[in-house]
Amino acid sequence: MKEQLKVPTMAEYMAEGKQPEILFWVGSAGSYDDRAKKITKAFVKLLNNANVDFAVLGAEESNTGDVAKRAGNEFLFQMQAMMNIEVLNAYEIKRIVTCDPHSFNCIKNEYPELGGIYDVIHHTQYIKELIDAGRLSVKGDTYKGKRITFHDPCYLGRANNEFDAPRNVLQNTNATLVEMKKHKRTALCCGAGGAQMFKEPEKGDKDVNVLRTEQALETTPDIIATGCPYCNTMMTDGIKAKEKEDSIIVLDVAELIANDQD
Amino acid sequence: MDYLPNIIFAVILIAGVGYFARNIKKLIRNIKLGHDVHTSDNKGQRWKNMARIALGQSKMVVRPVAGFLHIIVYVGFVIINIEVLEIIIDGLFGTHRIGLKVLPESVYGFLIGSFEILAVLVLVAVIVFWLRRNITNIKRFKSLKGWPKNDGNIILYFEVVLMCLFLVMNATDTSFQSMNAGNVVSQYISPLFGDNPDTLHLIERTAWWLHIIGILIFLNYLYFSKHLHILLAFPNTYYGKLTPKGQFNNLEAVTNEVKLMMDPNADPFAAPAEDDNADEPAKFGASDVMDLNRIQLLNAYTCTECGRCTSECPANQTGKKLSPRKIMMDTRDRLAEVGKNIDANNGEFKDDGKQLLGDYITKEELWACTTCNACVEACPVSIDPLSIIMEMRRYLVMEESAAPMELNNMMTNIENNGAPWPYNQQDRLNWVNE
């Protein structure tokens, strides 16, 4: 990125005695994974462009525990959850946005019972909100006429019934949105969910991400749009496996919008 | 001796219904082997779900061909069974077509006429179902072998026989045919049976008796087959999950322990509180059917093995061993086995050295799940195979420390540095300046 990103922490806000509009939950992938960091930065660029008063937890953020929970380790999940809730509640956080549908689902649905009650939204929902409020504008010429197919993340779509926000946001690019046969409720998983990201797949005749990539290729897209750092990795790997990396790129919705700014 | 048929009828009816009731009691007892769950919430929403999903078949029509045919059989089944009411009254009181005594001929004719049309439609649908199961190349049916495959076909044969008996019974009923109202289909079959009144009467009586006996046998077959969904779809959709699909339950027993661990004022040597948690599960997660909850066990009895879940499962589609349908069938088979064990041991379960985990469901199946909820979405009757998979993973990880090695590494990283990878937590914000 050319311009320096402004990323204030909650500790800094606290020191000034202020509250941000929203807390940006970066998540483990968004913090450490090289590909996901680009998504994080693209989203921050949008937040900066829209003059959003946001903060991150920085080193005070820890893994949500989501992946431990899906792996069956309820102890580790609840330990992580309660530590995070302690921090979030100490800062009196009300609203949280995240680029990771797994963090989104976990904090939104599984933290409340443990004492963490927040208004949690996915970054595609927040980008839509910013555009609708006139705080963020999209040029609409970078991807004009390109074919984009959106791959629904399981934990945003089926798990939380959000199918429209990412598609609505993408429409601002003036690209042609094409749907895979399996989309929205019947979308196929990228293969990374349920802690699969961190292990080798069981024996089978194909990898899930390759099957999903084949479904995406049926739409002859220029771009596969994702809304999840893990889906992004899986689809990128799928495109490589299909030797299509020269003609098709995999980009997060936030990146597509960030590339389409003045 | 005039009352002999009435008495025989009453005996058959009581035996048929009684045996069914006895088995249903067993089924309820088996379901109650599971943990109690809180389900008294959101009654309005639950009734609505039942009306929409079970009564309204809303999720069946996601696949239009099968959905449409299923609605025909379902509507046919429900409506034609109104006729059974007449048969029972006639049988018990020795009347003939009591409906004609209480209803105007036109109304009665209209009713029976629509039953006859439905019977033909059901026959057509059932034949297509049979072809789909046995001739066409539909993977979810082709992959069924042995009993589950035969079970599916037996049910279809039952339907064919019952529908044919109903039509024959009407076709050979001379007084009904001469009335010429309602015999929209049977009038065309009628000539096949000649015009000897004695023969016709004999055939009519035989068809009538076989029809009601067939229905009673079918009723009792349900308990031993996969076909209980015609009854259990209703409670199952009522008790279906209301929270977002992505929301997994938080184990309360774990919450108590974690709170204790994180409470600086807690006395680590304190004796555990007695009483109220006395029947709290002694283990985390599930290794056998008794560790599951009652809704999960009801799910298992409700499953009719249609396989829509498995056909949507990403793991299954890519050749892995996991099949959500098999998870449900295994749970049911094990539950039936436990039930038989209890019957054989005077109401007490005697350890048989077997359990759901390992003897029925393997680790390889459990670890192939991506928790994507495709199976849950696909189920036309709100079954949640994912929740059973999760409970068994919990058992593997928390009771047996038997996660795959890579997952153990990932979890150790989270414990040590708050991320699934071995990065320093202090470096969480490094991306800003990279």
Side-chain angles (χ1 to χ4, degrees), chain A residues 4-5 7 9 24 26-34 37 40-41 44 56 58-63 67-80 82-83 86 105 108-110 113-114 154-155 158-160 182 185-189 191-196 198-208 211 215 230, chain B residues 62-63 244-259 261-262 284 311-321 363-375 377 386 390 393-395 397-398 403-404 406-407 410-412 414-415 417-421 423-434:
Chain A
Q4 179 60 40
L5 297 171
V7 189
T9 62
F24 173 30
V26 184
S28 294
S31 302
Y32 296 116
D33 179 82
D34 284 337
K37 280 191 271 191
T40 306
K41 287 184 181 179
V44 168
V56 298
E60 289 183 280
E61 184 187 291
S62 188
N63 186 272
V67 66
K69 188 179 179 80
R70 312 295 136 177
N73 196 335
E74 185 71 8
F75 268 106
L76 183 52
F77 159 68
Q78 292 203 13
M79 296 269 290
Q80 290 298 119
M82 285 192 205
M83 283 194 309
E86 225 163 70
N105 175 70
K108 179 175 182 284
N109 295 323
E110 291 160 358
E113 235 179 59
L114 303 171
C154 303
Y155 276 87
R158 227 172 356 248
N160 287 293
K182 291 280 180 187
R185 287 197 179 280
T186 59
L188 185 78
C189 175
Q196 300 295 339
F198 300 95
K199 61 184 265 298
E200 285 303 312
E202 274 60 34
K203 212 165 90 34
D205 46 37
K206 192 184 261 187
D207 283 335
V208 178
L211 178 60
Q215 295 181 353
Y230 300 106
Chain B
V62 172
R63 299 196 184 186
K245 286 196 183 67
Q247 180 177 337
F248 294 6
N249 68 328
N250 295 328
L251 281 187
E252 219 182 291
V254 171
T255 311
N256 298 339
E257 293 212 17
V258 172
K259 278 198 174 137
M261 272 158 67
M262 293 183 64
F284 296 117
S311 73
E312 293 289 324
C313 173
N316 195 275
Q317 286 180 57
T318 53
K320 277 96 181 169
K321 277 200 182 138
K363 287 184 202 173
E364 184 178 342
E365 294 163 61
L366 296 171
W367 289 119
C369 175
T370 67
T371 72
C372 75
N373 264 305
C375 55
E377 175 70 39
L386 174 53
M390 278 313 303
R393 277 191 181 185
R394 284 171 171 171
Y395 177 84
V397 172
M398 291 191 284
E406 307 111 296
L407 290 189
M410 175 272 287
M411 292 188 281
T412 309
I414 293 178
E415 271 171 46
N417 46 271
W421 304 281
Y423 296 114
N424 194 326
Q425 182 153 9
Q426 292 310 312
D427 295 341
R428 261 205 182 244
L429 212 47
N430 285 7
W431 55 270
V432 177
N433 298 311
E434 276 171 9

Side-chain angles (χ1 to χ4, degrees), chain A residues 179-253:
Chain A
E179 294 289 1
M180 294 180 235
K181 250 188 233 142
K182 291 280 180 187
H183 67 283
K184 295 191 179 174
R185 287 197 179 280
T186 59
L188 185 78
C189 175
C190 71
Q196 300 295 339
M197 185 74 192
F198 300 95
K199 61 184 265 298
E200 285 303 312
E202 274 60 34
K203 212 165 90 34
D205 46 37
K206 192 184 261 187
D207 283 335
V208 178
N209 64 327
V210 173
L211 178 60
R212 185 52 169 166
T213 305
E214 287 167 358
Q215 295 181 353
L217 292 180
E218 283 172 18
T219 68
T220 58
D222 300 302
I223 296 156
I224 298 173
T226 58
C228 167
Y230 300 106
C231 295
N232 192 299
T233 301
M234 296 307 269
M235 297 308 282
T236 306
D237 287 351
I239 287 295
K240 279 183 198 146
K242 291 267 138 195
E243 297 180 344
K244 292 275 181 200
E245 63 262 51
D246 293 335
S247 53
I248 298 172
I249 45 170
V250 182
L251 288 172
D252 190 273
V253 173

Side-chain angles (χ1 to χ4, degrees), chain B residues 48-74:
Chain B
K48 235 191 257 169
N49 284 353
M50 185 170 96
R52 190 170 50 87
I53 303 170
L55 201 64
Q57 308 260 304
S58 62
K59 289 181 88 177
M60 275 308 294
V61 289
V62 172
R63 299 196 184 186
V65 177
F68 177 67
L69 294 168
H70 187 269
I71 285 181
I72 291 176
V73 176
Y74 160 75

Side-chain angles (χ1 to χ4, degrees), chain A residues 86-231:
Chain A
E86 225 163 70
V87 174
L88 291 166
N89 286 354
Y91 282 127
E92 295 176 12
I93 300 296
K94 302 274 179 297
R95 202 158 191 233
I96 299 175
V97 62
T98 176
C99 301
D100 173 12
H102 298 267
S103 297
F104 162 73
N105 175 70
C106 184
I107 302 175
K108 179 175 182 284
N109 295 323
E110 291 160 358
Y111 276 25
E113 235 179 59
L114 303 171
I117 300 164
Y118 321 102
D119 171 20
V120 190
I121 57 171
H122 185 245
H123 72 308
T124 56
Q125 296 172 318
Y126 197 55
I127 294 171
K128 179 177 184 298
E129 192 180 307
L130 293 174
I131 293 173
D132 289 351
R135 295 175 69 180
L136 186 69
S137 58
V138 186
K139 267 199 305 180
D141 56 10
T142 313
Y143 298 108
K144 198 171 178 178
K146 297 270 187 202
R147 289 171 70 84
I148 300 182
T149 189
F150 178 69
H151 162 75
D152 289 276
C154 303
Y155 276 87
L156 180 66
R158 227 172 356 248
N160 287 293
N161 297 318
E162 179 57 270
F163 303 104
D164 297 335
R167 290 177 169 81
N168 288 345
V169 168
L170 287 173
Q171 266 155 9
N172 290 287
T173 62
N174 290 321
T176 310
L177 292 187
V178 283
E179 294 289 1
M180 294 180 235
K181 250 188 233 142
K182 291 280 180 187
H183 67 283
K184 295 191 179 174
R185 287 197 179 280
T186 59
L188 185 78
C189 175
C190 71
Q196 300 295 339
M197 185 74 192
F198 300 95
K199 61 184 265 298
E200 285 303 312
E202 274 60 34
K203 212 165 90 34
D205 46 37
K206 192 184 261 187
D207 283 335
V208 178
N209 64 327
V210 173
L211 178 60
R212 185 52 169 166
T213 305
E214 287 167 358
Q215 295 181 353
L217 292 180
E218 283 172 18
T219 68
T220 58
D222 300 302
I223 296 156
I224 298 173
T226 58
C228 167
Y230 300 106
C231 295

